[in-house]
Amino acid sequence: MGVEEIIRLIFSFLGGGLMVAIFDWVRTNSAEKTARKVEDLNKQIKHLYGPLCFFASQNEQMFKLSNKFRDAYNVEYVNQQWSQDENTQPSLRQEATQTIDLANTYIGVVMENNDRVIEILTNNYAYIDEDDVEIFQQFVVDYTRLRKEMNEEVMLLTPFRIYHWVGPISFMSPKFIERVKYKFIRKKEALKQHRAA
C-alpha cells in the first residue's frame, strides 16, 4: 500500500467527521467575531457616540435659537430708525439688552453641554474611532480656549489683534456636530446589520 493510498484511506475514514469539525469551528469562530463586534458597537454607542450625538444635536438647536434672537435684534433694533427722544431710548436699550441676553442664555446652554461632552470624551477616549481623533481633539482645544479666553458673559478676553493671530474659537464646530451625528447613525445601522446576520 502506497503513501497516497494511506492518505486516501485516512481521509475517507476521518473525512465526514473532520469536515463537520471544521465546519463547526468556522461557524463558532464567525459567531464569536460577530458577538464581539456587536458588543464593541454597543459600547461605542452607549458610552460615546450616543451621548455625543445627544449633546451635539441639542447644541445645534441652541445655535439656531440664539441666531433667531440675534436676527430679530438686527431687524427690530439695529436696522430701524428710532426716535432719539429721551423717553424712547431707555426702553429701547432695555429691550435690546434683554434680547441679546436671551441669545447669550442659549449659548450658555451650549457651554453647559460642552462641559458634559468633555466629560464623555475624557471618560470614554478608548471608544473613539481613529478617524475621529483629530476632530475631537480640535473640539477639546476650542473648549479649553473658550474657558480661558471668554468670561461668564461670553465676552472675549483676548485682545482682538491677538485673537486675530491665534484664530477663531468655535463653541462647537459644524464639522464636529455632523461627524458625531453621522457616526452615531452609521453605528446604529451596523449594529442592526450584525444582529440580523
Side-chain angles (χ1 to χ4, degrees):
M1 193 180 272
V3 174
E4 290 179 16
E5 291 176 345
I6 293 173
I7 292 174
R8 276 192 220 137
L9 183 63
I10 291 171
F11 275 124
S12 67
F13 179 70
L14 295 175
L18 184 61
M19 294 308 286
V20 169
I22 291 171
F23 178 74
D24 283 346
W25 178 81
V26 168
R27 189 172 44 92
T28 302
N29 192 32
S30 177
E32 286 174 2
K33 282 182 182 178
T34 300
R36 278 194 304 273
K37 187 65 178 169
V38 165
E39 183 181 352
D40 290 346
L41 283 168
N42 267 326
K43 285 180 180 177
Q44 279 191 305
I45 291 167
K46 181 180 179 184
H47 297 292
L48 184 69
Y49 288 95
L52 288 181
C53 185
F54 174 78
F55 288 115
S57 298
Q58 193 177 68
N59 280 359
E60 185 176 42
Q61 295 308 310
M62 292 299 105
F63 289 138
K64 288 178 183 176
L65 191 55
S66 179
N67 287 338
K68 283 183 183 179
F69 274 90
R70 291 181 193 281
D71 291 344
Y73 170 84
N74 286 330
V75 169
E76 294 297 327
Y77 301 108
V78 175
N79 299 334
Q80 296 294 325
Q81 295 294 322
W82 290 99
S83 166
Q84 296 302 312
D85 181 63
E86 61 184 51
N87 294 325
T88 304
Q89 287 302 307
S91 64
L92 281 175
R93 268 193 296 279
Q94 181 184 2
E95 288 178 12
T97 300
Q98 284 176 323
T99 304
I100 291 299
D101 287 347
L102 280 169
N104 287 340
T105 298
Y106 297 113
I107 297 302
V109 172
V110 168
M111 289 299 290
E112 291 169 10
N113 287 346
N114 286 353
D115 291 341
R116 293 183 181 105
V117 168
I118 283 293
E119 199 174 296
I120 291 163
L121 290 173
T122 302
N123 294 334
N124 300 289
Y125 198 81
Y127 297 122
I128 297 174
D129 287 343
E130 192 174 319
D131 60 332
D132 293 331
V133 170
E134 188 177 327
I135 293 171
F136 290 4
Q137 285 175 339
Q138 185 58 52
F139 171 80
V140 173
V141 169
D142 285 336
Y143 172 85
T144 304
R145 286 190 65 201
L146 282 168
R147 287 294 179 201
K148 302 294 182 186
E149 298 180 41
M150 290 203 170
N151 64 17
E152 293 297 318
E153 290 78 39
V154 198
M155 301 294 292
L156 186 65
L157 301 174
T158 310
F160 186 73
R161 289 173 9 178
I162 302 303
Y163 177 81
H164 172 74
W165 280 101
V166 176
I169 309 170
S170 176
F171 283 90
M172 181 177 274
S173 73
K175 189 175 180 180
F176 180 91
I177 294 170
E178 289 308 312
R179 176 62 69 96
V180 166
K181 287 166 51 177
Y182 171 78
K183 282 295 188 81
F184 176 71
I185 290 166
R186 296 288 302 181
K187 288 181 184 300
K188 293 286 278 186
E189 289 170 353
L191 185 62
K192 193 181 293 185
Q193 287 173 357
H194 283 298
R195 284 183 171 158

